[in-house]
């Protein structure tokens, strides 16, 4: 299936894009193999939003967030985990959509292996639901890295998104997770009833 093009990422404002990405499939064609999952949960981060990394100014850490729509912003949290975001505004603005959870569809064994290597466990110790039901988990499972993907483009790189695999669902709008600033803003979206969502 064809990957989403630039027009898709430019068509929607950040809050709308966060909802439009639900049901789409995130795919990584890595040297180790292909992994993929349906996006089932997202969070939006906007200019003027105190929880947004771009809230104060552009830095070396958040520079990719100021890139063009359809590019990738990967960042480190807690000094040990990474999260992946889709840049969602024109270049220089600094807005993005965090991918919070995936429903795994392809490369399950490779996902399990990657998660196990990170945690020092046996790959069989993961349930399917646990593989990608959180932003750091899905980055590990999909083989997404800061060095390899931060600032890359979903338009022509090995990491990309294809049009919706699911469309007949209801979207739940609620508050974001794990933040203190802007915690009351209804900027988290997920597919109602989907068991792969990180938290309801």
């Amino acid at each position: 299936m064809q990957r989403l093009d630039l027009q898709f990422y430019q068509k929607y404002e950040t809050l709308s894009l966060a909802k439009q990405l639900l049901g789409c499939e995130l795919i990584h064609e890595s040297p180790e193999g292909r992994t993929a999952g349906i996006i089932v949960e997202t969070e939006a981060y906007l200019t003027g939003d105190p929880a947004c990394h771009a809230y104060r100014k552009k830095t070396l850490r958040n520079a990719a967030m100021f890139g063009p729509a359809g590019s990738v912003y990967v960042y480190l949290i807690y000094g040990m985990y990474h999260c992946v975001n889709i840049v969602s505004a024109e270049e220089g603005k600094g807005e993005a959509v965090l991918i919070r959870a995936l429903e795994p569809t392809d490369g399950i064994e490779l996902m399990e292996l990657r998660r196990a290597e990170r945690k020092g466990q046996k790959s069989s110790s993961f349930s399917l639901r646990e593989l990608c039901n959180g932003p750091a988990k899905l980055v590990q499972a999909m083989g997404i890295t800061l060095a390899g993907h931060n600032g890359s483009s979903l338009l022509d790189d090995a990491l990309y998104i294809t049009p919706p695999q699911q469309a007949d669902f209801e979207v739940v709008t609620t508050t974001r997770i794990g933040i203190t600033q802007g915690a009351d803003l209804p900027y988290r979206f997920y597919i109602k009833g989907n068991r792969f969502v990180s938290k309801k």
Side-chain angles (χ1 to χ4, degrees), residues 20-163:
Q20 292 295 326
L21 285 170
L22 296 175
C24 294
E25 190 170 33
L26 180 66
I27 299 168
H28 185 199
E29 306 276 2
S30 74
E32 297 80 30
R34 184 180 193 268
T35 48
I38 296 169
I39 299 170
V40 298
E41 183 181 3
T42 60
E43 288 181 352
Y45 289 87
L46 284 66
T47 300
D49 167 9
C52 180
H53 287 180
Y55 181 63
R56 288 182 173 82
K57 62 179 181 177
K58 184 177 180 179
T59 65
L60 184 62
R61 178 180 184 245
N62 68 16
M65 195 176 189
F66 290 84
S71 54
V72 179
Y73 170 44
V74 180
Y75 63 86
L76 181 70
I77 57 169
Y78 307 129
M80 58 190 302
Y81 299 116
H82 291 92
C83 296
V84 64
N85 303 258
I86 312 306
V87 178
S88 52
E90 64 269 20
E91 193 164 1
K93 189 170 184 180
E95 294 191 351
V97 175
L98 170 70
I99 308 301
R100 272 206 63 88
L102 301 176
E103 178 179 336
T105 55
D106 197 11
I108 308 299
E109 290 185 3
L110 179 54
M111 287 185 179
E112 291 176 338
L113 182 62
R114 286 169 173 161
R115 290 287 320 281
E117 286 177 346
R118 183 62 188 259
K119 292 182 71 69
Q121 299 177 352
K122 293 181 179 179
S123 60
S124 59
S125 64
F126 294 98
S127 70
L128 184 62
R129 182 185 174 277
E130 293 176 321
L131 275 181
C132 299
N133 67 334
K137 292 179 181 180
L138 72 89
V139 164
Q140 292 173 10
M142 293 289 289
I144 298 169
T145 66
L146 181 66
H149 299 98
N150 189 45
S152 65
S153 174
L154 294 168
L155 307 179
D156 56 15
D157 199 61
L159 182 68
Y160 59 95
I161 299 175
T162 57

